[in-house]
Amino acid sequence: DVKVTQSSRYLVKRTGEKVFLECVQDMDHENMFWYRQDPGLGLRLIYFSYDVKMKEKGDIPEGYSVSREKKERFSLILESASTNQTSMYLCASIMELGLGGYTFGSGTRLTVV
Amino acid sequence: QKEVEQNSGPLSVPEGAIASLNCTYSDRGSQSFFWYRQYSGKSPELIMSIYSNGDKEDGRFTAQLNKASQYVSLLIRDSQPSDSATYLCAGMDSSYKLIFGSGTRLLVRP
């Protein structure tokens, strides 16, 4: 089975801090995603990467950046954390777009205080 | 704006009943649909996929797709308390990325 690992389950950060969320997958998947999930708003795509060093903005990229230096690792960066970025962050991956559903990591619940 | 719509619920059913979860989508070009189950505080887990009109059965789960009506449903037979979760519907858009609904919360009463 594909394993998508997010390094932290729970994280508490202060406003203004730079925050790194890490995601690693072990099945050589080309495509990786970062979503945030908030009650009533569902899953919203922040960024998508289709290859090493390649990225595409999703629906809500403001306040975020990403890094994909190696195929297996996709990092989400909050340049200056704000309280409205308190959320559940979910990483997902798939080998090839169009070939089935995504596999999600276990999620990181981030609280910005 | 391509959308996938779900009733947020909660949908409450007694143990042993059939739970029927529904989803509509706006993009007529969507060809593939997926159902995810998400327990509280956990991440979504893929449980069913459907690519053509009609029914697809897997154990107690049946996915139904009606492309003419732009309608997808998930039936859970013999519902168990362990089925209590939020169910997310997702459709694949023309760029092969998934568009997710906001989910329906299912409660199965013992």
Side-chain angles (χ1 to χ4, degrees):
Chain A
D1 276 353
V2 177
K3 196 162 172 63
V4 180
T5 303
Q6 293 183 234
S7 52
S8 306
R9 286 301 311 275
Y10 300 95
L11 216 49
V12 179
K13 295 292 181 180
R14 295 196 179 278
T15 302
E17 274 192 80
K18 191 167 185 175
V19 180
F20 293 85
L21 302 183
E22 305 288 344
C23 175
V24 177
Q25 49 89 8
D26 66 357
M27 284 298 290
D28 207 34
H29 282 182
E30 300 284 342
N31 304 277
M32 297 185 75
F33 306 82
W34 274 107
Y35 288 89
R36 63 177 284 177
Q37 186 176 34
D38 301 287
L41 296 178
L43 283 162
R44 293 182 290 168
L45 181 64
I46 305 171
Y47 265 99
F48 157 58
S49 171
Y50 50 94
D51 203 348
V52 174
K53 297 190 188 298
M54 306 306 286
K55 63 186 178 186
E56 192 176 291
K57 290 181 180 179
D59 300 318
I60 52 164
E62 298 79 17
Y64 303 94
S65 62
V66 290
S67 171
R68 192 155 179 216
E69 296 297 317
K70 293 185 178 181
K71 194 172 189 178
E72 66 270 19
R73 186 181 295 270
F74 191 33
S75 303
L76 180 70
I77 304 153
L78 286 66
E79 297 289 344
S80 176
S82 64
T83 55
N84 63 12
Q85 293 178 309
T86 292
S87 186
M88 168 71 98
Y89 288 87
L90 290 160
C91 175
S93 74
I94 190 168
M95 172 66 79
E96 189 175 328
L97 289 179
L99 293 186
Y102 304 160
T103 301
F104 283 89
S106 55
T108 296
R109 183 162 295 282
L110 172 68
T111 303
V112 183
V113 298
Chain B
Q1 180 81 359
K2 297 164 191 170
E3 290 185 339
V4 174
E5 301 280 351
Q6 296 181 258
N7 188 315
S8 61
L11 173 66
S12 181
V13 300
E15 185 174 354
I18 296 174
S20 177
L21 302 157
N22 305 312
C23 169
T24 58
Y25 59 95
S26 61
D27 182 5
R28 284 203 169 269
S30 294
Q31 298 293 318
S32 306
F33 296 87
F34 305 88
W35 283 99
Y36 285 82
R37 179 178 59 202
Q38 186 175 23
Y39 292 114
S40 181
K42 303 293 186 183
S43 63
E45 172 195 10
L46 182 63
I47 56 172
M48 288 286 286
S49 56
I50 187 163
Y51 304 103
S52 55
N53 271 332
D55 295 1
K56 179 182 176 184
E57 190 174 313
D58 184 2
R60 295 186 296 114
F61 298 99
T62 298
Q64 299 175 317
L65 174 58
N66 183 326
K67 291 186 181 180
S69 302
Q70 296 177 245
Y71 183 90
V72 192
S73 64
L74 179 70
L75 302 179
I76 306 174
R77 287 182 299 282
D78 188 24
S79 295
Q80 301 297 310
S82 58
D83 294 325
S84 297
T86 296
Y87 290 80
L88 304 176
C89 173
M92 187 175 290
D93 71 11
S94 55
S95 65
Y96 303 105
K97 293 201 276 296
L98 298 189
I99 308 295
F100 288 88
S102 55
T104 298
R105 195 157 71 99
L106 172 66
L107 296 175
V108 181
R109 309 187 303 272

